[in-house]
Amino acid sequence: MSQESQFHLNAFLMGVGHHEAAWRHPRTKAHRVLDVAHFQELGRIAERGKLDSVFFADGLAVGPRIKHNTQAIFEPVTLLSAIAVATEHVGLIATASTSYSDPYNLARKFTSLDHISGGRAGWNIVTSAGADEAANFGVDGIPAHSGRYERAEEFVDVTLALWDSWEDGAVVLDPETGVFADPGKVHTIDHDGPRFRVKGPLNSPRSAQGRPLLVQAGSSESGKEFAARYAEAVFTAQRTLEQGQEFYRDLEARVVKHGRNAGDLKVLPGIVPFIADTEEEAKALEQSFTDLISPEYSLRQLSTMLGVDLTKHSLDAPLPPLDEIQGNKSRYQLVKDLAADGSLTVRQLIGLLGGGRGHRTFAGTPEQVADELQTWFEQGAADGFNIMPPYLPGGLDDFVDRVVPILQQRGLFRTEYTATTLRGHYGLTDVGNRFAGAVDEASA
């Protein structure tokens, strides 16, 4: 949502690749999903390409699909702390749920990552929508969609207040006077709301970038309103240029309605690129992954997305009629729209979704991938892109070494880092501190 001449690039990292069959493919080594050195290598590759950030999704349950695949092995903040010490510049964005977390612990965890990394942390805010996740926290059924976002709003408000509870310069560290911190710059937040009661202050000082970058990925009505109020970057799944432009315009209008500048929010659609020397080779590469899809796994994934059990449904028939769900509404709607005219069988649908669970897949040469990104950027559908390599590390290597140089030659992407913090990479300024100049005797 800006008029910048260059766009932003985030690498969305998942196991040994985004394609659900990546771990079975000869281009990957399946055992590396448990190897922290693998993820540190991915961070270094992203940094070699001068990417703004890397990002990890997360889930709070194994679910019914463990026989054939699972992606969420590591808790993301913990993993990104390991990547932080192996990198110097690239931003580090972790997913954390507002549904089954506590604002104080989450605020402390992300501030710790921000200190460890020198100001490179970001929080992807999610509201957990799975019944399996709910069951792990003693909740029967999926919380209502609207209720999840109401909780999320208060959760974020508390977290932001905690991050502000230490002003810049609060830490004195004067051994001669024995003063560790200036109590006049450390504040209680005294929050007393419908869901949370938190006194504060946070027991971790303000970080180098003030506070972590706020990211959001929901595209439902509630999700877009939430993003317009809080988010500084949005990861979205749009499959056509027209859909991307419509989403962009809609979100821009909502941001302005909330009294913010349009440039305060960056929109990054996801793309799963299969890259090869020729378009035919790229499409053959994509097909080699599709051929390894396990229908049993895919049907369970699709069942979760749609809130209906498809495990006994024919692979060669269209989807059955669908009812509204309380789970992930944006992904539900995306799949429903894909299958709306009834021309796709379930088998064809799971093939389309196998690369990125609804995100756009694109098979082509490095030049064609660069052309596609440039078109979306210049025609008002994106401020940057969420790159989702179908296999790792090779897919990220190919993008960094073959596509990024083309973007740099065209003046569309940086050739060197010019900022030291994640907020700086995204061209965002210091948000200030609500307590600046206030006096709080309770913290003395």
Side-chain angles (χ1 to χ4, degrees):
M1 283 198 181
S2 64
Q3 301 302 312
E4 297 174 13
S5 61
Q6 296 185 335
F7 54 64
H8 303 279
L9 291 173
N10 172 78
F12 184 175
L13 306 177
M14 183 174 283
V16 291
H18 269 275
H19 198 283
E20 65 184 57
W23 70 278
R24 301 181 64 196
H25 199 277
R27 292 201 178 199
T28 68
K29 296 178 180 178
H31 71 273
R32 300 206 73 187
V33 298
L34 294 168
D35 182 4
V36 69
H38 163 67
F39 296 100
Q40 291 175 317
E41 177 188 356
L42 297 178
R44 288 190 290 265
I45 294 170
E47 191 161 274
R48 187 173 78 228
K50 316 303 179 187
L51 270 60
D52 295 67
S53 49
V54 298
F55 158 62
F56 287 93
D58 194 30
L60 299 172
V62 168
R65 56 194 183 274
I66 191 65
K67 179 177 180 180
H68 296 291
N69 199 353
T70 188
Q71 300 286 6
I73 300 292
F74 291 100
E75 189 281 313
V77 174
T78 308
L79 180 59
L80 285 167
S81 295
I83 296 174
V85 299
T87 57
E88 296 179 359
H89 302 285
V90 71
L92 309 166
I93 302 173
T95 296
S97 172
T98 60
S99 298
Y100 307 115
S101 302
D102 175 88
Y104 195 94
N105 284 337
L106 184 143
R108 187 186 188 205
K109 183 164 60 173
F110 275 91
T111 298
S112 295
L113 177 61
D114 223 15
H115 283 294
I116 290 167
S117 64
R120 294 186 280 142
W123 173 25
N124 177 45
I125 307 162
V126 300
T127 65
S128 301
D132 290 334
E133 293 175 305
N136 284 338
F137 293 86
V139 177
D140 295 327
I142 304 172
H145 187 78
S146 59
R148 294 202 311 273
Y149 274 98
E150 288 169 4
R151 175 185 170 91
E153 288 178 2
E154 185 181 352
F155 192 113
V156 173
D157 287 338
V158 175
T159 304
L160 292 175
L162 287 168
W163 281 334
D164 278 349
S165 63
W166 289 67
E167 294 183 47
D168 293 326
V171 178
V172 177
L173 289 178
D174 187 339
E176 291 190 6
T177 62
V179 175
F180 175 83
D182 179 352
K185 293 185 176 182
V186 183
H187 308 275
T188 60
I189 68 169
D190 298 315
H191 178 88
D192 190 355
R195 293 170 178 81
F196 303 106
R197 189 168 69 251
V198 182
K199 180 181 179 182
L202 190 65
N203 61 343
S204 183
R206 196 166 174 84
S207 66
Q209 64 173 346
R211 62 163 172 77
L213 184 81
L214 298 183
V215 183
Q216 196 265 351
S219 296
S220 65
E221 285 300 304
S222 297
K224 287 186 286 189
E225 278 299 299
F226 185 87
R229 179 176 173 184
Y230 293 106
E232 294 161 309
V234 165
F235 298 148
T236 182
Q238 308 297 327
R239 295 185 65 86
T240 68
L241 176 63
E242 293 74 21
Q243 290 171 346
Q245 291 168 326
E246 181 181 356
F247 179 85
Y248 192 99
R249 288 192 299 267
D250 182 17
L251 202 52
E252 183 174 45
R254 293 172 191 255
V255 168
V256 173
K257 184 186 73 175
H258 279 277
R260 303 173 63 195
N261 295 321
D264 291 343
L265 179 61
K266 314 297 183 183
V267 177
L268 284 74
I271 182 170
V272 183
F274 290 88
I275 303 166
D277 291 336
T278 68
E279 183 177 347
E280 292 72 22
E281 289 174 330
K283 289 182 176 178
L285 176 63
E286 181 180 11
Q287 187 61 46
S288 72
F289 280 83
T290 302
D291 291 343
L292 294 174
I293 288 176
S294 300
E296 181 183 348
Y297 171 80
S298 299
L299 284 175
R300 290 187 180 278
Q301 286 283 85
L302 189 57
S303 297
T304 300
M305 284 185 191
L306 299 177
V308 59
D309 186 1
L310 298 171
T311 55
K312 294 181 172 59
H313 190 77
S314 171
L315 285 169
D316 298 308
L319 284 176
L322 300 174
D323 296 322
E324 192 66 20
I325 64 169
Q326 289 298 327
N328 188 327
K329 287 183 179 285
S330 56
R331 200 53 48 86
Y332 164 88
Q333 191 62 48
L334 186 151
V335 176
K336 186 177 179 179
D337 290 346
L338 269 178
D341 64 2
S343 63
L344 291 176
T345 65
V346 172
R347 189 187 305 276
Q348 291 169 323
L349 191 58
I350 62 178
L352 282 175
L353 297 171
R357 299 160 307 286
H359 287 272
R360 186 169 50 116
T361 59
F362 186 88
T365 65
E367 291 78 10
Q368 287 174 319
V369 174
D371 289 345
E372 188 76 358
L373 301 185
Q374 182 171 359
T375 296
W376 277 56
F377 176 61
E378 292 182 344
Q379 295 195 20
D383 294 306
F385 301 91
N386 195 19
I387 307 302
M388 304 166 61
Y391 61 98
L392 292 166
L396 184 59
D397 266 322
D398 285 345
F399 185 83
V400 162
D401 294 338
R402 305 188 67 185
V403 178
V404 167
I406 297 172
L407 300 174
Q408 291 171 330
Q409 290 165 9
R410 296 179 183 180
L412 293 167
F413 192 64
R414 68 172 66 88
T415 56
E416 295 293 340
Y417 287 108
T418 57
T420 59
T421 67
L422 177 55
R423 299 181 62 77
H425 296 339
Y426 279 89
L428 297 168
T429 58
D430 189 336
V431 292
N433 188 313
R434 73 190 68 190
F435 295 114
V439 177
D440 188 352
E441 298 298 335
S443 297

